[in-house]
Amino acid sequence: MSKSKKNKVMVPQVSKAEKRRAELEQQKQKTRILIISTIAIVVIIFVGLFMLASKDSASTAGSGKPVDFNYSGLPRLGKEDAPVKIVEFGDFKCPACSSFASVIKPQLAQEYVNQDKAALYFVNMAFIGPDSETASLAALSVYHQNSDAFWTYYDALYANQGDENAEWATEDFLVSLAQKEELPIDFDLLRKDIQERTYENELQTDTQLAEDTGVTSTPTLFINGYKVDEPFNMEAIDAQIKSASEAVSAE
């Protein structure tokens, strides 16, 4: 009898080159997975940090302590006992402040100040040029002579504002402007106060107040001690005034 031959299964031989190629492909796949995982982790960390920062920011805005202004020492438009107090930091040479004075301030006056719902206060932040201080010293002189005349002078200074890069707020200009507006003050005293920098200490107090409250630009607004994020967004200002008024009513 002939012995039956067993069928043999032929296993294809893999070359070293093919093995190496397969190993490289596996390594590339592992590297890709590692890179994708790393990117995902980094993204998650950044999202977490962003959410935490946003939460902290919202918490600060909502529950942070308000600035405790000495309102009695500031020029005021409106009634002293108005429930909402709006503080503006401004520079008479600031073009944006001029826009605020011509666009936002009239709305505040009409809708809130004239209705005894709010009072507007002003803090000098004279930082643009040397004549920023000269203009502030003149405005302070007017304020101490006649507090009501201050706001007429405020409007006139912004309406007649010169080039931001030019020194236009000179002594002669400031006195002449007060005379043109027929302010009920002593013009000789105004000139003297400018020359002698009578209210320099008060101006420095305003400057220090800006520094202490973290104000770095003009115009900057505060409503009942809380900073306004968008001083030209009347809708946002309305909402913040409403919120401040409700908070006062609830006390």
Side-chain angles (χ1 to χ4, degrees):
M1 287 181 64
S2 61
K3 295 181 179 180
S4 61
K5 295 181 179 180
K6 293 182 179 179
N7 293 331
K8 294 182 177 180
V9 178
M10 302 299 292
V11 179
Q13 297 295 314
V14 179
S15 67
K16 290 182 177 180
E18 290 175 333
K19 282 184 178 181
R20 182 59 180 164
R21 194 178 300 114
E23 289 174 355
L24 288 174
E25 186 61 34
Q26 287 181 347
Q27 187 61 42
K28 286 181 181 179
Q29 187 173 357
K30 289 180 180 179
T31 302
R32 283 195 293 268
I33 293 173
L34 180 61
I35 292 173
I36 292 172
S37 300
T38 302
I39 292 174
I41 291 171
V42 171
V43 169
I44 291 171
I45 291 173
F46 271 107
V47 170
L49 290 173
F50 176 78
M51 292 178 67
L52 181 62
S54 298
K55 182 179 179 181
D56 289 344
S57 177
S59 176
T60 300
S63 61
K65 291 183 179 180
V67 177
D68 185 17
F69 290 105
N70 177 22
Y71 295 104
S72 63
L74 301 176
R76 184 190 73 251
L77 181 65
K79 288 193 173 183
E80 184 177 6
D81 60 354
V84 176
K85 303 184 188 308
I86 307 168
V87 176
E88 174 202 352
F89 285 77
D91 185 322
F92 290 112
K93 288 196 64 170
C94 166
C97 295
S98 179
S99 296
F100 176 88
S102 63
V103 177
I104 302 299
K105 175 178 168 283
Q107 295 182 64
L108 293 175
Q110 180 179 349
E111 297 176 26
Y112 298 105
V113 176
N114 295 345
Q115 308 299 324
D116 298 335
K117 296 177 181 178
L120 177 63
Y121 298 80
F122 184 77
V123 178
N124 289 282
M125 188 175 168
F127 72 102
I128 292 178
D131 53 331
S132 292
E133 291 192 0
T134 311
S136 290
L137 291 169
L140 286 169
S141 174
V142 170
Y143 166 64
H144 284 286
Q145 290 193 57
N146 186 318
S147 59
D148 291 333
F150 170 85
W151 293 100
T152 302
Y153 199 49
Y154 166 106
D155 289 333
L157 281 168
Y158 283 128
N160 292 275
Q161 188 182 75
D163 190 317
E164 180 182 7
N165 299 311
E167 192 169 332
W168 55 268
T170 62
E171 174 190 322
D172 287 339
F173 172 84
L174 294 166
V175 174
S176 176
L177 181 63
Q179 292 172 327
K180 178 182 176 183
E181 294 296 321
E182 299 182 348
L183 299 183
I185 62 169
D186 184 331
F187 301 117
D188 290 333
L189 179 57
L190 170 60
R191 184 178 294 276
K192 180 175 180 291
D193 285 340
I194 295 172
Q195 291 175 345
E196 298 182 1
R197 301 179 68 87
T198 303
Y199 297 102
E200 182 165 12
N201 288 341
E202 191 168 330
L203 178 56
Q204 293 305 316
T205 298
D206 281 2
T207 301
Q208 187 62 50
L209 178 58
E211 184 177 334
D212 292 343
T213 52
V215 176
T216 58
S217 62
T218 53
T220 292
L221 293 186
F222 286 81
I223 294 177
N224 280 11
Y226 291 99
K227 187 177 179 181
V228 176
D229 292 329
E230 301 176 75
F232 286 95
N233 185 337
M234 197 60 207
E235 186 176 343
I237 293 173
D238 286 335
Q240 195 162 337
I241 289 176
K242 180 180 178 182
S243 177
S245 180
E246 291 174 349
V248 171
S249 298
E251 290 178 354

